[in-house]
């Protein structure tokens, strides 16, 4: 199977999984999922996945750990978040930082 | 859509509109990044219409863009979508939707719709907030995704514009509100730190996409064995910053 077809299958399968999860919340008796332990674990899984994605997308290239323009860009994003900047400003500030540093040869 | 017949409902609709517009800009960045990750316009649009959960979508293209296998991308997107099930548990009794509306409600059960709905003072405002936010975000998110994909295609090399730094910044913005104060915040910060360390340590030795999943396993261990139960934080809608699509 081609990469193109594989991507389509992955999109459809992942979308089905995401919809099934949303629907489960609407259909199951609420005492199933409202256990504090389930809720706490789900919240922490979200935190861990997002944090891991931040790390991997900032400091890796393929299978290597690298430090490049993305790291200072992320620091700028963190600063913007600390200053309560809107989401779009945070993302644009990071992109602009990386773009400028690369233009300067980093 | 319930009629706008009182102040509470009107306020809920205003909140819904501002949240929907705020996610539009976020959708442009998703569209551009999806194209940069190697997806085409149809695939990018399909993700926003079918998957319709910002965190899951960003994670999905992140894993694929890094050369990860389809299975790892599906697992990551699915795990990030688990919280939507919990939102469904919270909003379903308030909506009391039946028939096809229940399926429509499920599809638009995301951070924003749950946040706006649960923040309302009356049942009518809750329902108005949920539907207006859910449908509003769905429409604007889809439209802005397509716009972003077209723009991203025209831009060329995403690294020149720093777009490869935009994705981790987006993830940081999504996780930021979850690292706040209190004991829950401390546990979340410790989990986040452990997740980063595990993911980076595994990157050189396991296939792409797996380090992020391993980080999720860390969270499951911490969450399941955790101390006394903590209340689940209710997302608070911030008009100028999406809580988390």
């Amino acid at each position: 199977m081609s990469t193109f077809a594989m991507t389509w299958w992955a999109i459809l399968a992942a979308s089905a999984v995401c919809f099934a999860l949303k629907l489960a919340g609407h259909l199951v008796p609420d005492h199933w999922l409202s256990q504090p332990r389930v809720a706490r674990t789900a919240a922490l899984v979200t935190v861990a996945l997002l944090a891991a994605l931040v790390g991997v997308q900032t400091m890796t290239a393929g299978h290597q750990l690298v430090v490049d323009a993305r790291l200072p860009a992320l620091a700028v994003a963190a600063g913007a978040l600390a200053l309560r900047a809107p989401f779009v400003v945070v993302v644009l500030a990071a992109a602009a930082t990386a773009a400028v540093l690369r233009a300067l040869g980093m | 859509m319930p009629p706008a017949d009182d102040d509470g409902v009107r306020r809920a609709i205003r909140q819904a509109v501002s949240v929907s517009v705020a996610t539009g800009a976020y959708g442009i960045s998703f569209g551009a990044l999806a194209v940069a990750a190697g997806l085409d316009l149809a695939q990018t649009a399909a993700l926003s219409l079918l998957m319709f959960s910002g965190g899951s979508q960003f994670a999905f293209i992140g894993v694929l863009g890094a050369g990860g296998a389809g299975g790892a991308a599906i697992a990551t997107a699915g795990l990030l979508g688990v919280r939507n099930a919990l939102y469904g548990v919270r909003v379903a009794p308030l909506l009391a939707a039946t028939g096809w509306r229940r399926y429509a409600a499920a599809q638009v059960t995301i951070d924003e719709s749950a946040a706006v709905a649960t923040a309302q003072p009356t049942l009518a405002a809750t329902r108005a907030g949920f539907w207006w936010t859910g449908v509003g975000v769905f429409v604007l998110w889809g439209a802005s995704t397509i716009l972003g994909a077209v723009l991203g295609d025209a831009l060329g090399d995403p690294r020149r514009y720093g777009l490869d730094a935009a994705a981790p910044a987006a993830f940081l913005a999504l996780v930021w509100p979850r690292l706040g104060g209190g004991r829950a915040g401390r546990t979340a910060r410790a989990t986040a730190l452990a997740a980063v360390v595990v993911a980076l340590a595994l990157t050189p030795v396991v296939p792409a996409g797996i380090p992020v999943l391993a980080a999720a396993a860390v969270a499951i261990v911490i969450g399941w064995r955790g101390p006394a139960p903590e209340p689940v934080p209710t997302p608070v809608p911030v008009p100028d910053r999406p809580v988390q699509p």
Side-chain angles (χ1 to χ4, degrees):
Chain A
M1 193 157 44
S2 68
T3 312
F4 177 77
M6 276 286 298
T7 303
W8 268 116
W9 278 115
I11 287 170
L12 296 176
S15 299
V17 169
C18 287
F19 180 71
L21 283 164
K22 291 172 179 172
L23 191 61
H26 283 260
L27 298 183
V28 301
D30 53 8
H31 60 263
W32 281 20
L33 290 181
S34 51
Q35 287 181 35
R37 178 178 276 185
V38 172
R40 187 179 61 223
T41 304
L44 286 179
V45 164
T46 298
V47 167
L49 284 168
L50 292 170
L53 284 160
V54 171
V56 165
Q57 301 223 336
T58 305
M59 295 190 61
T60 70
H63 285 283
Q64 290 180 323
L65 299 185
V66 292
V67 172
D68 60 17
R70 289 173 296 172
L71 196 58
L74 192 75
V76 168
L81 283 163
L83 295 172
R84 306 250 167 128
F87 185 92
V88 184
V89 174
V90 172
V91 173
L92 287 177
T97 305
V100 168
L101 289 172
R102 288 217 177 92
L104 294 174
M106 181 170 173
Chain B
M1 299 251 178
D5 57 359
D6 66 62
D7 281 351
V9 168
R10 271 197 294 273
R11 197 173 315 119
I13 292 173
R14 269 204 305 276
Q15 274 183 12
V17 171
S18 63
V19 168
S20 302
V21 171
T23 56
Y26 178 59
I28 293 176
S29 56
F30 172 74
L33 291 171
V35 171
L39 274 67
D40 66 19
L41 179 63
Q43 290 169 330
T44 305
L47 277 175
S48 279
L49 297 175
L50 301 175
M51 190 180 287
F52 190 56
S53 191
S56 296
Q57 290 176 228
F58 269 106
F60 183 86
I61 62 167
V63 172
L64 282 189
I74 295 165
T76 308
L79 278 168
L80 265 172
V82 168
R83 68 179 188 287
N84 292 331
L86 302 177
Y87 295 150
V89 170
R90 211 176 314 157
V91 298
L94 301 168
L95 298 174
T98 52
W100 66 269
R101 281 192 190 82
R102 183 184 267 180
Y103 293 89
Q107 177 66 348
V108 297
T109 299
I110 52 169
D111 292 297
E112 286 88 345
S113 56
V116 174
T118 52
Q120 302 308 320
T122 66
L123 190 61
T126 294
R127 290 179 180 175
F130 179 86
W131 285 109
W132 279 84
T133 308
V135 174
V137 172
F138 187 80
V139 171
L140 288 176
W141 176 250
S144 60
T145 294
I146 291 169
L147 179 63
V150 172
L151 286 176
D153 233 357
L155 283 178
D157 180 18
R159 286 171 45 91
R160 220 181 95 200
Y161 302 95
L163 276 185
D164 56 339
F171 286 125
L172 185 67
L174 292 180
V175 79
W176 196 268
R178 297 169 178 270
L179 303 177
R183 194 176 53 181
R186 261 207 306 283
T187 309
R189 286 194 293 273
T191 304
L193 188 65
V196 172
V197 170
V198 166
L200 290 180
L202 287 178
T203 293
V205 290
V206 299
I210 305 298
V212 173
L213 289 176
V218 171
I220 291 171
V221 171
I222 294 174
W224 208 253
R225 299 184 47 206
E230 288 154 355
V232 194
T234 301
V236 182
V238 185
D240 68 342
R241 189 173 66 191
V243 181
Q244 210 183 337

